Amino acid sequence: MASTKPTTKEILARAAGGSETPLYNPQALAQIKAGFDAWREASVRPADRENWAQAPATVLGSEIPRNMLYTPLDVADLDYARHLGNSGQAPFTRGVHANMYRGRRFTRRQLAGYGGPEDTNQRIKFLLDHGATGISIIFDLPTIQMYDSDDAIAAGQVGMSGVAIDSVEDMDRLFADIALDQVTVSLVTHYPSNSALLFPMYLALAEKRGIPWEALKGSIQNDVTLEEVVRSGPEYIPPRDCFRIQCDNMEFIRRNVPQWNFQTLNGYNLREFGTSAVTEMAVALANLVESMEELIGRGLTADDLGQRAAFFWSIGNDFFEEVARIRAVRRLYGRIMTQRFGVTNPRAAWMRCHVQTSGVSLTRSEPLNNVVRAGFHALAAVLGGAQSLHVDSYDEAYSVPTEEAALLSLRTQQIIETETGVCEVVDPLGGSFYLEALTNELESRILDELAEIEGKGGYVAAVESGWLQARIRDYFHRERERMERGEIRVVGENAYQGETKLPEISVFEYPEGVEERMKARLGELRLRRDNAAVEAALKGLEDACRGGGNLLPASVQCARVLCSEGEMFKVFKRAFGLWRPPALW
Amino acid sequence: MERKIKVLLAKLGLDVHNRGVITVAKELRDAGMEVVYIGNALPEQIVAAASQEDPDLVGVSSLGGAHLSLGRMLIDQAQAAGLYPETVFMIGGVFSPADAQKLKALGFAGVFPPGSGREEIVGFVRQAVAA
C-alpha cells in the first residue's frame, strides 16, 4: 500500500534548513583537506587506502563502514547549537539533563522473577538490600502468554524464567513489605494485551493498600512489536486490535496514573530476536509516531504524551556505534517531537531510555568472558547517556541468573558508577570527529528506515502484511551465515577457541512445588471469591472490547473482583478473534 | 536417489523465543530435508502431529526453562504412542551442562545448546536418521 502522507523524513527535512553557524571555517577546512590529501598519499599504505572504509563485523551490528581515520572533514557542517547543543538543551544530543549523572546516576535496575510471587519477593528484597535502586519484574511463560497457572497449556512451565501471577492476590504477595509509593517498578509486561491485564492488578493492589494512583512510579512495556512480531505463541489477536489496546493503555495511564511511563518502546527484544542496530530504533519510532497520532486524535496533546514516553534499547558489541546510536536516537526523537508534533515542553522532547546489555552477544563457551562483554556494553550505555541500566549476567546461556551472577551484574554497574569516573563529565565523547560522524550517519539511517515503514502504509500495516517480520528474518538468516563463514568472529566461539570443556559454574535451581502451589491457590480463589461479581466484570470487559471506548476501566474492575489473567484473556480472544501471523521460515 | 529425510519441528510449550528453531528449520530445508514446523505446541500436540506426519526425527526448541518438565512429558507420551524410540528426538535451547546430560538420559539423542553450528545440527540429523 503506497502512502500519500508525508513521511517523518520529509517533514523533518522541511523544518531542518542548513547549517547556520558551522564550527569549522571554510579556510580551516580547506587547509585540513589539503593536508589530509597529502598525508593520505605520502603516509597511508596503498592497502589501507583501498580499504579506507570498513564495516566492523559484529553481532547485531549495522554494517556501517568506518574510515581508518576521522577528521573535521567528516563533520564539516557541524553546527554546535543546531546539531549538539549543551546538555539539557535541544536537540538533546548530549543528554536530556544539564548535569546528567552528576545530578542523578543511572538507575541500577536488575531483573527479578522466578517461581511463585513469594520467591521473587525474596529476590527483590535481596537486590534492594544490595543497593539496587529500581526493580524490573519479569513474568513466567504462562503469565506472559496470558494463561492461568492451572490451564493445561501451562503444565510444567509455571514459575519458569519469570514469576507466576494469576490474580491481584499474587501481585500482593509479590510486593509484600514493599511500599509501592517508595520504589520505582518496571513491570516487564511486554505486550499491550498482558499490560492491559496485569497493570490493572497493580492498580487494584495500590487501591487495596490505600495508595493513590498518582503516587505510583514505574513503567510497563506495552508494545505491539513484542506481541505480534517478536513473540512466538499459540494465539494472537489481530494487530489492529492489539494497537488499540496499546493506545488504550497509554491513554488510561496518562489520564489516571500521571507518574507512570505508559509505554516503553521495546527495541531490545526486537534487536535480540535478530535485527540491526538501525531497524531496532526505526521500528520503535514508527510505532511511536502512529501511537501519537492516534492519541492526539483521542484528545491528548503531544506535550502531555511525550513526557511519559520511554524507550528500551539493546546495547551490544560495537562500542562506538552503540554510544553514537543512543545519541542519534535522542536527537531524532527530539526533532520528531518538536518539528513534527510541535511540542513546547522540553520534557516531551527528552528521549529517556532504559538499557539492557545484549544477551544474544553472550556465549555459552567460556562464560566468564561474558562478564567482560557485558562490562563494555554497560560502559557504552553510560557514555551514551542512558537513564537506567540492567547488565546481563554471565550465565545467561545456561539458566536464569544465580544470585551470585545477578550480584556481579549489579556490581559491574556500581564499579562503572563509583570507580571509573565516567559519570563526572557529561557526554564525554561528544565532539569526537568519529563519534559525531557516526551519530549523523545513524540518525540518517534510522530516519530512512522509518520513512520506508511509513511508505508501506505505516507501522501497523507493516506488521499486518508481514513486511516487518520478513525484514527481521532476512537479517538473522544472513547473520547466521556470516557467523558460519567465520566473518563475524566471537572469542571462544569461532575465534581463539580454547578447550571445549565447559567450566564448572553454579547454575540456578528453580524452587520446587511452585506449580502445585499456584494451582491449589487459584482453585481456592475461584471458590472463595464472589463469582457473580466476576461474571459481571468479565461481561463488562467484553462489552468494552466490542465497544469503542477505552477498555481499561473494565479490566481494572476485573482485577478488583479477583478475575484471573487467563479469564480476562479469554474475553480478548472472544471479542477480537484470532490472527495468524506470517510464517517466518 | 536417496530418500528425503523428514523432520518435524516445534516450539515446546509457551516459550516465546523462535529465532533458533526458525534458523534450524531453514538450515535443514536447505540441506534437502522436508521440514514441517508446527509452532508452539504441547507434548501431546507434538505427538499427535508426529503420528500424522510420520517424520524421521522430531526436534523441539525450549529456551524458557521448561525443557526438563516438558521434555520428559514429550518422551513419555511419544513412548506411550509407540513413536519412541523408533523416531529420533532432538532438542535445542538454553540448558545448563547438567540439564543437557539429563535431557540425553531422558531420550533426546541430540541436545543443542546456544552456539551450536549448522554442520553440527545437520550432520547429527543425517547420522541419527541413517543409524
Side-chain angles (χ1 to χ4, degrees), chain A residues 15-292:
Chain A
S19 189
E20 280 173 358
T21 319
L23 205 52
Y24 304 110
N25 70 58
Q27 198 191 341
L29 285 170
Q31 259 181 33
I32 292 166
K33 174 85 170 74
F36 177 82
D37 288 347
W39 165 82
R40 200 170 133 113
E41 205 51 47
S43 308
V44 177
R45 293 187 310 181
D48 289 329
R49 277 205 295 270
E50 260 166 58
N51 298 311
W52 184 253
Q54 284 183 354
T58 58
V59 176
L60 300 178
S62 70
E63 297 179 51
I64 291 175
R66 313 296 157 79
N67 298 339
M68 196 179 84
L69 182 79
Y70 283 81
T71 70
L73 301 170
D74 296 295
V75 281
D77 72 341
L78 193 67
D79 176 328
Y80 185 77
R82 184 178 285 262
H83 298 132
L84 303 179
N86 297 312
S87 45
Q89 282 179 335
F92 305 108
T93 314
R94 310 203 66 186
V96 296
H97 304 293
N99 58 3
M100 281 302 290
Y101 300 132
R102 282 196 186 189
R104 185 173 168 181
R105 300 303 208 215
F106 48 90
T107 305
R108 288 150 320 266
R109 190 179 288 284
Q110 289 292 130
L111 287 169
Y114 64 91
E118 306 83 345
D119 302 308
T120 297
N121 180 258
Q122 293 304 311
R123 177 66 71 92
I124 294 173
K125 288 174 181 165
F126 173 83
L127 289 168
L128 290 175
D129 284 349
H130 287 77
T133 49
I135 288 299
S136 288
I137 303 297
I138 47 170
F139 301 95
D140 72 352
L141 292 169
T143 306
I144 210 81
Q145 300 259 26
M146 297 164 282
Y147 300 99
D148 287 336
S149 296
D150 61 359
D151 193 309
I153 207 167
Q157 302 158 80
V158 176
M160 301 249 170
S161 68
V163 58
I165 298 291
D166 290 316
S167 75
V168 69
E169 293 191 349
D170 294 327
M171 201 61 95
D172 200 0
R173 294 176 184 108
L174 179 63
F175 291 104
D177 313 315
I178 293 163
L180 300 186
D181 50 358
Q182 301 296 314
V183 286
T184 70
V185 175
S186 163
L187 297 172
V188 189
T189 55
H190 294 130
Y191 318 133
S193 293
N194 61 19
S195 298
L197 307 178
L198 293 167
F199 188 57
M201 293 184 191
Y202 191 81
L203 292 177
L205 174 63
E207 262 178 10
K208 197 177 130 192
R209 293 190 184 174
I211 296 165
W213 290 355
E214 290 75 17
L216 301 175
K217 283 186 194 167
S219 57
I220 52 169
Q221 287 201 350
N222 186 34
D223 188 339
V224 170
T225 306
L226 275 280
E227 183 162 343
E228 307 288 69
V229 181
V230 174
R231 156 173 168 254
S232 175
E235 295 170 303
Y236 300 78
I237 61 167
R240 292 270 164 212
D241 298 305
C242 187
F243 182 73
R244 176 245 170 132
I245 296 174
Q246 175 188 287
C247 292
D248 281 2
N249 286 326
M250 294 167 83
E251 181 187 20
F252 180 84
I253 295 170
R254 192 68 198 106
R255 294 191 197 278
N256 299 285
V257 198
Q259 298 198 77
W260 199 270
N261 296 322
F262 50 57
Q263 180 181 47
T264 307
L265 283 156
N266 180 335
Y268 185 90
N269 289 53
L270 174 65
R271 177 133 184 254
E272 295 283 307
F273 183 31
T275 201
S276 82
V278 172
T279 305
E280 173 190 6
M281 291 177 162
V283 170
L285 291 176
N287 188 356
L288 171 95
V289 166
E290 210 151 305
S291 306
M292 291 287 294

Side-chain angles (χ1 to χ4, degrees), chain A residues 145 156-157 232 364 480 484, chain B residues 14 27 40 69 95 118:
Chain A
Q145 300 259 26
Q157 302 158 80
S232 175
R364 180 179 178 86
R480 168 77 165 182
E484 288 282 342
Chain B
L14 294 170
E27 290 179 348
N40 288 74
S69 54
F95 328 118
R118 176 175 54 203

Side-chain angles (χ1 to χ4, degrees), chain A residues 141-142 145 147 153 155-157 160-161 191 232-234 272-274 364 396-398 476-477 479-481 484 493 502 507 584-585, chain B residues 11 13-16 18-19 22-23 25-27 29 35 37 40 42 64-66 69-70 94-97 113-118:
Chain A
L141 292 169
Q145 300 259 26
Y147 300 99
I153 207 167
Q157 302 158 80
M160 301 249 170
S161 68
Y191 318 133
S232 175
E272 295 283 307
F273 183 31
R364 180 179 178 86
E396 302 265 341
Y398 292 79
F476 72 65
H477 281 331
E479 179 173 279
R480 168 77 165 182
E481 287 292 321
E484 288 282 342
E493 209 59 10
L502 295 169
V507 168
L584 276 189
W585 62 288
Chain B
K11 278 255 32 122
L14 294 170
D15 184 25
V16 291
N18 60 356
R19 175 179 177 168
I22 292 168
T23 299
K26 178 176 185 290
E27 290 179 348
R29 195 180 52 194
V35 177
Y37 173 49
N40 288 74
L42 289 173
S69 54
L70 291 183
V94 176
F95 328 118
S96 67
S116 304
R118 176 175 54 203

